[in-house]
């Protein structure tokens, strides 16, 4: 009998190529507040979790306005733009490969759950996943707990579990769960930053497949 195996996929920056959308959505807010705008290099060097720390790094002053105000403003901007984003071109190939090898595949994301499910369906890949799990608020919290619930839902049948992500936070989630993590370097944080985790690094999904093999 084939041993059970599970892939936990991150969504933003891992499957969905939305970095430019995130930069554009934030720059609208920075321009209104007369703060320095982001480019791709700066963004990948400063973006972090919790996102409140990221907002502080790029100049938001929470003595002048509560964190919740720009956080919700960003979500509104992002939601207006994100349908322009596309999944990475090798996503379907990777999903097909892991499905053919008998992997259970699930999405674990810091995106609001209903919108996440809508976008995954929009991109025509929902049928690959046993579970699609986002969060219940707009503040990108709760990913570790959601991961625990997903794995617990497999009732001990998760087998070898690999998380595929693009940020240091994905490494931290994997560390909490005691699972293997592969980080893809074309997402929301620079390769230099994610290499600091000591995790296996891939530049694309073909390399992910090779690493898992």
């Amino acid at each position: 009998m084939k041993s059970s195996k599970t892939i936990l996929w991150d969504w933003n920056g891992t499957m969905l190529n939305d970095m430019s959308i995130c930069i554009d959505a934030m720059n609208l807010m920075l321009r209104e507040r007369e703060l320095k705008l982001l480019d791709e290099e700066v963004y990948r060097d400063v973006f972090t979790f919790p996102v409140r720390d990221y907002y502080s790094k790029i100049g938001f002053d929470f003595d002048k306005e509560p964190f919740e105000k720009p956080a919700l403003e960003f979500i509104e901007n992002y939601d207006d733009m994100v349908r322009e984003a596309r999944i990475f071109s090798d996503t379907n190939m990777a999903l097909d490969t892991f499905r053919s090898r008998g992997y259970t595949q699930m999405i674990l994301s810091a995106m609001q759950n209903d919108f996440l499910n809508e976008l995954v369906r929009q991109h025509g890949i929902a049928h690959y996943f046993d579970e699609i799990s986002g969060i219940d608020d707009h503040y990108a919290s709760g990913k570790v707990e959601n991961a625990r619930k997903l794995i617990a839902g497999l009732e001990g049948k998760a087998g070898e579990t690999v998380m595929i992500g693009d940020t240091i936070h994905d490494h931290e989630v994997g560390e909490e769960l005691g699972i293997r993590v592969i980080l893809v370097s074309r997402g929301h944080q620079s390769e230099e930053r994610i290499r600091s985790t000591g995790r296996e690094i891939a530049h694309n999904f073909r390399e992910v497949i090779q690493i898992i093999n």
Side-chain angles (χ1 to χ4, degrees):
M1 180 181 293
K2 187 181 294 184
S3 62
S4 59
K5 300 178 180 180
T6 301
I7 300 283
L8 292 181
W9 290 94
D10 174 58
W11 175 243
N12 302 88
T14 300
M15 284 190 284
L16 184 70
N17 184 9
D18 65 343
M19 178 171 54
S20 63
I21 301 296
C22 290
I23 293 171
D24 290 346
M26 184 57 77
N27 277 342
L28 287 176
M29 299 159 58
L30 296 174
R31 189 175 291 111
E32 289 174 358
R33 292 163 173 83
E34 298 183 346
L35 296 171
K36 186 176 181 180
L37 302 185
L38 298 172
D39 59 25
E40 182 176 314
E41 182 178 359
V42 171
Y43 173 78
R44 297 180 82 222
D45 281 340
V46 298
F47 178 74
T48 192
F49 291 96
V51 292
R52 183 187 178 105
D53 293 346
Y54 158 55
Y55 281 52
S56 293
K57 284 184 178 182
I58 59 178
F60 286 89
D61 185 347
F62 300 130
D63 290 328
K64 293 182 178 179
E65 59 181 338
F67 164 65
E68 289 77 12
K69 183 178 184 296
L72 291 176
E73 188 178 334
F74 173 81
I75 291 297
E76 290 172 359
N77 291 344
Y78 178 89
D79 288 358
D80 286 343
M81 300 177 182
V82 70
R83 288 177 179 81
E84 301 172 15
R86 298 290 177 262
I87 57 175
F88 285 100
S89 60
D90 52 0
T91 299
N92 286 83
M93 175 278 299
L95 294 171
D96 276 329
T97 298
F98 289 123
R99 181 171 63 177
S100 71
R101 296 178 184 178
Y103 279 80
T104 296
Q105 300 188 83
M106 302 186 288
I107 293 179
L108 173 67
S109 174
M111 176 177 275
Q112 199 277 331
N113 189 63
D114 290 343
F115 195 43
L116 169 66
N117 277 266
E118 177 188 334
L119 288 177
V120 174
R121 289 193 299 269
Q122 175 191 315
H123 289 283
I125 58 174
H127 61 285
Y128 287 104
F129 304 104
D130 286 42
E131 296 284 348
I132 299 171
S133 178
I135 60 171
D136 295 326
D137 59 42
H138 294 298
Y139 308 121
S141 58
K143 199 170 178 180
V144 171
E145 188 56 37
N146 280 1
R148 287 198 181 99
K149 290 177 182 176
L150 287 178
I151 292 175
L154 293 171
E155 297 178 343
K157 299 177 182 177
E160 176 194 355
T161 302
V162 182
M163 183 166 184
I164 301 172
D166 70 308
T167 67
I168 293 170
H169 186 51
D170 294 318
H171 150 70
E172 293 168 345
V173 172
E175 201 165 48
E176 285 283 335
L177 299 172
I179 61 175
R180 183 181 184 186
V181 177
I182 299 172
L183 298 176
V184 187
S185 64
R186 61 189 177 186
H188 287 279
Q189 291 182 330
S190 67
E191 182 169 344
E192 181 181 4
R193 292 178 71 197
I194 62 173
R195 279 196 181 279
S196 70
T197 66
R199 296 288 187 174
E200 298 162 294
I201 304 295
H203 298 95
N204 53 56
F205 290 153
R206 291 191 183 278
E207 290 186 9
V208 168
I209 293 167
Q210 292 170 357
I211 289 170
I212 291 177
N213 286 344

